[in-house]
PDB file of all heavy atoms in Angstrom:
ATOM      1  N   ASP A   6       2.268  13.691  20.226  1.00  0.00           N
ATOM      2  CA  ASP A   6       1.729  14.452  19.092  1.00  0.00           C
ATOM      3  C   ASP A   6       2.683  14.512  17.903  1.00  0.00           C
ATOM      4  O   ASP A   6       2.936  15.575  17.330  1.00  0.00           O
ATOM      5  CB  ASP A   6       1.351  15.878  19.518  1.00  0.00           C
ATOM      6  CG  ASP A   6       0.238  15.893  20.556  1.00  0.00           C
ATOM      7  OD1 ASP A   6      -0.529  14.909  20.602  1.00  0.00           O
ATOM      8  OD2 ASP A   6       0.146  16.867  21.314  1.00  0.00           O
ATOM      9  N   LEU A   7       3.219  13.345  17.526  1.00  0.00           N
ATOM     10  CA  LEU A   7       3.963  13.290  16.275  1.00  0.00           C
ATOM     11  C   LEU A   7       3.011  13.609  15.123  1.00  0.00           C
ATOM     12  O   LEU A   7       1.884  13.098  15.072  1.00  0.00           O
ATOM     13  CB  LEU A   7       4.565  11.902  16.062  1.00  0.00           C
ATOM     14  CG  LEU A   7       5.930  11.621  16.693  1.00  0.00           C
ATOM     15  CD1 LEU A   7       6.185  10.121  16.715  1.00  0.00           C
ATOM     16  CD2 LEU A   7       7.019  12.325  15.923  1.00  0.00           C
ATOM     17  N   THR A   8       3.437  14.452  14.208  1.00  0.00           N
ATOM     18  CA  THR A   8       2.584  14.838  13.084  1.00  0.00           C
ATOM     19  C   THR A   8       2.699  13.821  11.959  1.00  0.00           C
ATOM     20  O   THR A   8       3.787  13.643  11.388  1.00  0.00           O
ATOM     21  CB  THR A   8       2.985  16.232  12.563  1.00  0.00           C
ATOM     22  OG1 THR A   8       2.853  17.181  13.636  1.00  0.00           O
ATOM     23  CG2 THR A   8       2.101  16.659  11.404  1.00  0.00           C
ATOM     24  N   VAL A   9       1.602  13.138  11.657  1.00  0.00           N
ATOM     25  CA  VAL A   9       1.584  12.088  10.635  1.00  0.00           C
ATOM     26  C   VAL A   9       0.765  12.585   9.433  1.00  0.00           C
ATOM     27  O   VAL A   9      -0.406  12.914   9.574  1.00  0.00           O
ATOM     28  CB  VAL A   9       0.951  10.790  11.182  1.00  0.00           C
ATOM     29  CG1 VAL A   9       1.031   9.679  10.131  1.00  0.00           C
ATOM     30  CG2 VAL A   9       1.637  10.358  12.480  1.00  0.00           C
ATOM     31  N   PRO A  10       1.376  12.656   8.241  1.00  0.00           N
ATOM     32  CA  PRO A  10       0.625  13.119   7.065  1.00  0.00           C
ATOM     33  C   PRO A  10      -0.334  12.035   6.560  1.00  0.00           C
ATOM     34  O   PRO A  10      -0.151  10.852   6.842  1.00  0.00           O
ATOM     35  CB  PRO A  10       1.734  13.392   6.050  1.00  0.00           C
ATOM     36  CG  PRO A  10       2.821  12.440   6.425  1.00  0.00           C
ATOM     37  CD  PRO A  10       2.772  12.337   7.924  1.00  0.00           C
ATOM     38  N   ARG A  11      -1.352  12.445   5.812  1.00  0.00           N
ATOM     39  CA  ARG A  11      -2.285  11.477   5.248  1.00  0.00           C
ATOM     40  C   ARG A  11      -2.694  11.937   3.839  1.00  0.00           C
ATOM     41  O   ARG A  11      -2.514  13.102   3.474  1.00  0.00           O
ATOM     42  CB  ARG A  11      -3.515  11.329   6.129  1.00  0.00           C
ATOM     43  CG  ARG A  11      -4.290  12.612   6.350  1.00  0.00           C
ATOM     44  CD  ARG A  11      -5.351  12.419   7.406  1.00  0.00           C
ATOM     45  NE  ARG A  11      -6.050  13.670   7.687  1.00  0.00           N
ATOM     46  CZ  ARG A  11      -6.848  13.863   8.718  1.00  0.00           C
ATOM     47  NH1 ARG A  11      -7.055  12.870   9.580  1.00  0.00           N
ATOM     48  NH2 ARG A  11      -7.450  15.015   8.914  1.00  0.00           N
ATOM     49  N   ASP A  12      -3.228  10.986   3.077  1.00  0.00           N
ATOM     50  CA  ASP A  12      -3.691  11.320   1.723  1.00  0.00           C
ATOM     51  C   ASP A  12      -5.213  11.399   1.704  1.00  0.00           C
ATOM     52  O   ASP A  12      -5.894  10.962   2.638  1.00  0.00           O
ATOM     53  CB  ASP A  12      -3.198  10.282   0.719  1.00  0.00           C
ATOM     54  CG  ASP A  12      -3.870   8.931   0.933  1.00  0.00           C
ATOM     55  OD1 ASP A  12      -3.975   8.484   2.110  1.00  0.00           O
ATOM     56  OD2 ASP A  12      -4.314   8.323  -0.049  1.00  0.00           O
ATOM     57  N   ARG A  13      -5.748  11.957   0.652  1.00  0.00           N
ATOM     58  CA  ARG A  13      -7.185  12.218   0.550  1.00  0.00           C
ATOM     59  C   ARG A  13      -8.011  10.935   0.560  1.00  0.00           C
ATOM     60  O   ARG A  13      -9.112  10.882   1.117  1.00  0.00           O
ATOM     61  CB  ARG A  13      -7.477  13.019  -0.730  1.00  0.00           C
ATOM     62  CG  ARG A  13      -8.907  13.510  -0.841  1.00  0.00           C
ATOM     63  CD  ARG A  13      -9.063  14.409  -2.047  1.00  0.00           C
ATOM     64  NE  ARG A  13      -8.261  15.631  -1.914  1.00  0.00           N
ATOM     65  CZ  ARG A  13      -8.175  16.564  -2.865  1.00  0.00           C
ATOM     66  NH1 ARG A  13      -8.789  16.402  -4.014  1.00  0.00           N
ATOM     67  NH2 ARG A  13      -7.429  17.637  -2.657  1.00  0.00           N
ATOM     68  N   GLU A  14      -7.481   9.879  -0.041  1.00  0.00           N
ATOM     69  CA  GLU A  14      -8.246   8.632  -0.142  1.00  0.00           C
ATOM     70  C   GLU A  14      -8.055   7.716   1.068  1.00  0.00           C
ATOM     71  O   GLU A  14      -8.689   6.668   1.155  1.00  0.00           O
ATOM     72  CB  GLU A  14      -7.833   7.876  -1.422  1.00  0.00           C
ATOM     73  CG  GLU A  14      -8.032   8.670  -2.701  1.00  0.00           C
ATOM     74  CD  GLU A  14      -9.488   9.055  -2.889  1.00  0.00           C
ATOM     75  OE1 GLU A  14     -10.366   8.237  -2.537  1.00  0.00           O
ATOM     76  OE2 GLU A  14      -9.753  10.167  -3.383  1.00  0.00           O
ATOM     77  N   GLY A  15      -7.161   8.079   1.961  1.00  0.00           N
ATOM     78  CA  GLY A  15      -6.938   7.262   3.154  1.00  0.00           C
ATOM     79  C   GLY A  15      -6.213   5.957   2.881  1.00  0.00           C
ATOM     80  O   GLY A  15      -6.317   5.008   3.655  1.00  0.00           O
ATOM     81  N   GLU A  16      -5.450   5.908   1.796  1.00  0.00           N
ATOM     82  CA  GLU A  16      -4.760   4.662   1.432  1.00  0.00           C
ATOM     83  C   GLU A  16      -3.296   4.644   1.890  1.00  0.00           C
ATOM     84  O   GLU A  16      -2.658   3.597   1.870  1.00  0.00           O
ATOM     85  CB  GLU A  16      -4.813   4.476  -0.088  1.00  0.00           C
ATOM     86  CG  GLU A  16      -6.230   4.287  -0.609  1.00  0.00           C
ATOM     87  CD  GLU A  16      -6.273   4.156  -2.119  1.00  0.00           C
ATOM     88  OE1 GLU A  16      -5.192   4.341  -2.751  1.00  0.00           O
ATOM     89  OE2 GLU A  16      -7.339   3.857  -2.655  1.00  0.00           O
ATOM     90  N   PHE A  17      -2.773   5.809   2.293  1.00  0.00           N
ATOM     91  CA  PHE A  17      -1.365   5.870   2.705  1.00  0.00           C
ATOM     92  C   PHE A  17      -1.209   5.389   4.142  1.00  0.00           C
ATOM     93  O   PHE A  17      -1.929   5.813   5.042  1.00  0.00           O
ATOM     94  CB  PHE A  17      -0.855   7.309   2.584  1.00  0.00           C
ATOM     95  CG  PHE A  17       0.494   7.522   3.240  1.00  0.00           C
ATOM     96  CD1 PHE A  17       1.639   6.985   2.689  1.00  0.00           C
ATOM     97  CD2 PHE A  17       0.600   8.264   4.423  1.00  0.00           C
ATOM     98  CE1 PHE A  17       2.875   7.182   3.298  1.00  0.00           C
ATOM     99  CE2 PHE A  17       1.823   8.463   5.027  1.00  0.00           C
ATOM    100  CZ  PHE A  17       2.971   7.928   4.465  1.00  0.00           C
ATOM    101  N   HIS A  18      -0.257   4.484   4.356  1.00  0.00           N
ATOM    102  CA  HIS A  18       0.052   3.986   5.702  1.00  0.00           C
ATOM    103  C   HIS A  18       1.572   4.032   5.885  1.00  0.00           C
ATOM    104  O   HIS A  18       2.307   3.335   5.184  1.00  0.00           O
ATOM    105  CB  HIS A  18      -0.459   2.562   5.896  1.00  0.00           C
ATOM    106  CG  HIS A  18      -1.943   2.444   5.748  1.00  0.00           C
ATOM    107  ND1 HIS A  18      -2.832   2.902   6.693  1.00  0.00           N
ATOM    108  CD2 HIS A  18      -2.690   1.939   4.726  1.00  0.00           C
ATOM    109  CE1 HIS A  18      -4.070   2.682   6.280  1.00  0.00           C
ATOM    110  NE2 HIS A  18      -4.016   2.103   5.086  1.00  0.00           N
ATOM    111  N   THR A  19       2.029   4.842   6.821  1.00  0.00           N
ATOM    112  CA  THR A  19       3.467   4.986   7.031  1.00  0.00           C
ATOM    113  C   THR A  19       4.087   3.717   7.600  1.00  0.00           C
ATOM    114  O   THR A  19       3.451   2.992   8.380  1.00  0.00           O
ATOM    115  CB  THR A  19       3.769   6.162   7.984  1.00  0.00           C
ATOM    116  OG1 THR A  19       5.183   6.236   8.183  1.00  0.00           O
ATOM    117  CG2 THR A  19       3.092   5.982   9.340  1.00  0.00           C
ATOM    118  N   GLN A  20       5.314   3.469   7.208  1.00  0.00           N
ATOM    119  CA  GLN A  20       6.080   2.343   7.747  1.00  0.00           C
ATOM    120  C   GLN A  20       7.101   2.806   8.799  1.00  0.00           C
ATOM    121  O   GLN A  20       7.826   2.001   9.345  1.00  0.00           O
ATOM    122  CB  GLN A  20       6.831   1.638   6.605  1.00  0.00           C
ATOM    123  CG  GLN A  20       5.930   1.086   5.511  1.00  0.00           C
ATOM    124  CD  GLN A  20       4.975   0.050   6.057  1.00  0.00           C
ATOM    125  OE1 GLN A  20       5.392  -0.895   6.727  1.00  0.00           O
ATOM    126  NE2 GLN A  20       3.688   0.227   5.775  1.00  0.00           N
ATOM    127  N   ALA A  21       7.120   4.117   9.053  1.00  0.00           N
ATOM    128  CA  ALA A  21       8.150   4.671   9.933  1.00  0.00           C
ATOM    129  C   ALA A  21       8.073   4.119  11.355  1.00  0.00           C
ATOM    130  O   ALA A  21       9.104   3.845  11.982  1.00  0.00           O
ATOM    131  CB  ALA A  21       8.058   6.195   9.963  1.00  0.00           C
ATOM    132  N   PHE A  22       6.851   3.958  11.876  1.00  0.00           N
ATOM    133  CA  PHE A  22       6.719   3.475  13.252  1.00  0.00           C
ATOM    134  C   PHE A  22       7.216   2.041  13.379  1.00  0.00           C
ATOM    135  O   PHE A  22       7.881   1.680  14.350  1.00  0.00           O
ATOM    136  CB  PHE A  22       5.267   3.585  13.718  1.00  0.00           C
ATOM    137  CG  PHE A  22       4.802   5.003  13.886  1.00  0.00           C
ATOM    138  CD1 PHE A  22       4.013   5.598  12.917  1.00  0.00           C
ATOM    139  CD2 PHE A  22       5.181   5.749  14.988  1.00  0.00           C
ATOM    140  CE1 PHE A  22       3.587   6.904  13.054  1.00  0.00           C
ATOM    141  CE2 PHE A  22       4.761   7.057  15.137  1.00  0.00           C
ATOM    142  CZ  PHE A  22       3.974   7.644  14.164  1.00  0.00           C
ATOM    143  N   GLU A  23       6.867   1.222  12.384  1.00  0.00           N
ATOM    144  CA  GLU A  23       7.312  -0.168  12.417  1.00  0.00           C
ATOM    145  C   GLU A  23       8.829  -0.254  12.320  1.00  0.00           C
ATOM    146  O   GLU A  23       9.464  -1.006  13.057  1.00  0.00           O
ATOM    147  CB  GLU A  23       6.691  -0.944  11.259  1.00  0.00           C
ATOM    148  CG  GLU A  23       7.102  -2.409  11.214  1.00  0.00           C
ATOM    149  CD  GLU A  23       6.516  -3.132  10.013  1.00  0.00           C
ATOM    150  OE1 GLU A  23       5.565  -2.593   9.407  1.00  0.00           O
ATOM    151  OE2 GLU A  23       7.008  -4.224   9.690  1.00  0.00           O
ATOM    152  N   ARG A  24       9.418   0.541  11.421  1.00  0.00           N
ATOM    153  CA  ARG A  24      10.870   0.518  11.280  1.00  0.00           C
ATOM    154  C   ARG A  24      11.546   1.042  12.534  1.00  0.00           C
ATOM    155  O   ARG A  24      12.568   0.518  12.986  1.00  0.00           O
ATOM    156  CB  ARG A  24      11.296   1.345  10.056  1.00  0.00           C
ATOM    157  CG  ARG A  24      11.020   0.654   8.730  1.00  0.00           C
ATOM    158  CD  ARG A  24      11.775   1.345   7.603  1.00  0.00           C
ATOM    159  NE  ARG A  24      11.288   2.699   7.360  1.00  0.00           N
ATOM    160  CZ  ARG A  24      10.385   3.024   6.445  1.00  0.00           C
ATOM    161  NH1 ARG A  24       9.857   2.080   5.682  1.00  0.00           N
ATOM    162  NH2 ARG A  24      10.004   4.271   6.283  1.00  0.00           N
ATOM    163  N   TYR A  25      10.990   2.108  13.124  1.00  0.00           N
ATOM    164  CA  TYR A  25      11.580   2.644  14.347  1.00  0.00           C
ATOM    165  C   TYR A  25      11.561   1.597  15.467  1.00  0.00           C
ATOM    166  O   TYR A  25      12.542   1.394  16.170  1.00  0.00           O
ATOM    167  CB  TYR A  25      10.850   3.902  14.809  1.00  0.00           C
ATOM    168  CG  TYR A  25      11.460   4.466  16.078  1.00  0.00           C
ATOM    169  CD1 TYR A  25      12.552   5.322  16.012  1.00  0.00           C
ATOM    170  CD2 TYR A  25      10.995   4.088  17.334  1.00  0.00           C
ATOM    171  CE1 TYR A  25      13.154   5.795  17.159  1.00  0.00           C
ATOM    172  CE2 TYR A  25      11.596   4.556  18.488  1.00  0.00           C
ATOM    173  CZ  TYR A  25      12.666   5.412  18.391  1.00  0.00           C
ATOM    174  OH  TYR A  25      13.273   5.868  19.542  1.00  0.00           O
ATOM    175  N   SER A  26      10.415   0.928  15.631  1.00  0.00           N
ATOM    176  CA  SER A  26      10.300  -0.086  16.682  1.00  0.00           C
ATOM    177  C   SER A  26      11.307  -1.207  16.477  1.00  0.00           C
ATOM    178  O   SER A  26      11.856  -1.750  17.438  1.00  0.00           O
ATOM    179  CB  SER A  26       8.881  -0.654  16.704  1.00  0.00           C
ATOM    180  OG  SER A  26       7.947   0.334  17.045  1.00  0.00           O
ATOM    181  N   ARG A  27      11.582  -1.514  15.229  1.00  0.00           N
ATOM    182  CA  ARG A  27      12.516  -2.601  14.923  1.00  0.00           C
ATOM    183  C   ARG A  27      13.952  -2.214  15.263  1.00  0.00           C
ATOM    184  O   ARG A  27      14.745  -3.036  15.702  1.00  0.00           O
ATOM    185  CB  ARG A  27      12.402  -2.955  13.435  1.00  0.00           C
ATOM    186  CG  ARG A  27      13.166  -4.233  13.040  1.00  0.00           C
ATOM    187  CD  ARG A  27      13.037  -4.464  11.539  1.00  0.00           C
ATOM    188  NE  ARG A  27      11.646  -4.377  11.118  1.00  0.00           N
ATOM    189  CZ  ARG A  27      11.258  -4.015   9.905  1.00  0.00           C
ATOM    190  NH1 ARG A  27      12.159  -3.680   8.985  1.00  0.00           N
ATOM    191  NH2 ARG A  27       9.986  -3.964   9.588  1.00  0.00           N
ATOM    192  N   TYR A  28      14.288  -0.941  15.049  1.00  0.00           N
ATOM    193  CA  TYR A  28      15.679  -0.516  15.185  1.00  0.00           C
ATOM    194  C   TYR A  28      15.912   0.457  16.344  1.00  0.00           C
ATOM    195  O   TYR A  28      16.958   1.086  16.417  1.00  0.00           O
ATOM    196  CB  TYR A  28      16.142   0.159  13.896  1.00  0.00           C
ATOM    197  CG  TYR A  28      16.181  -0.755  12.703  1.00  0.00           C
ATOM    198  CD1 TYR A  28      15.311  -0.570  11.638  1.00  0.00           C
ATOM    199  CD2 TYR A  28      17.093  -1.803  12.639  1.00  0.00           C
ATOM    200  CE1 TYR A  28      15.342  -1.405  10.529  1.00  0.00           C
ATOM    201  CE2 TYR A  28      17.139  -2.640  11.541  1.00  0.00           C
ATOM    202  CZ  TYR A  28      16.265  -2.440  10.488  1.00  0.00           C
ATOM    203  OH  TYR A  28      16.303  -3.272   9.398  1.00  0.00           O
ATOM    204  N   GLU A  29      14.955   0.588  17.251  1.00  0.00           N
ATOM    205  CA  GLU A  29      15.077   1.629  18.265  1.00  0.00           C
ATOM    206  C   GLU A  29      16.396   1.625  19.027  1.00  0.00           C
ATOM    207  O   GLU A  29      17.012   2.678  19.197  1.00  0.00           O
ATOM    208  CB  GLU A  29      13.929   1.582  19.267  1.00  0.00           C
ATOM    209  CG  GLU A  29      13.961   2.807  20.166  1.00  0.00           C
ATOM    210  CD  GLU A  29      13.183   2.626  21.454  1.00  0.00           C
ATOM    211  OE1 GLU A  29      12.795   1.495  21.762  1.00  0.00           O
ATOM    212  OE2 GLU A  29      12.979   3.619  22.158  1.00  0.00           O
ATOM    213  N   PRO A  30      16.898   0.471  19.526  1.00  0.00           N
ATOM    214  CA  PRO A  30      18.171   0.520  20.259  1.00  0.00           C
ATOM    215  C   PRO A  30      19.297   1.127  19.434  1.00  0.00           C
ATOM    216  O   PRO A  30      20.080   1.934  19.933  1.00  0.00           O
ATOM    217  CB  PRO A  30      18.440  -0.957  20.588  1.00  0.00           C
ATOM    218  CG  PRO A  30      17.085  -1.587  20.597  1.00  0.00           C
ATOM    219  CD  PRO A  30      16.312  -0.889  19.504  1.00  0.00           C
TER     220      PRO A  30
END
């Protein structure tokens, strides 16, 4: 249940998950 913010138009897409997966170690 990570809290992910969103915008009214649904155009915002976070890059945090992709960056985390890339640098997790």
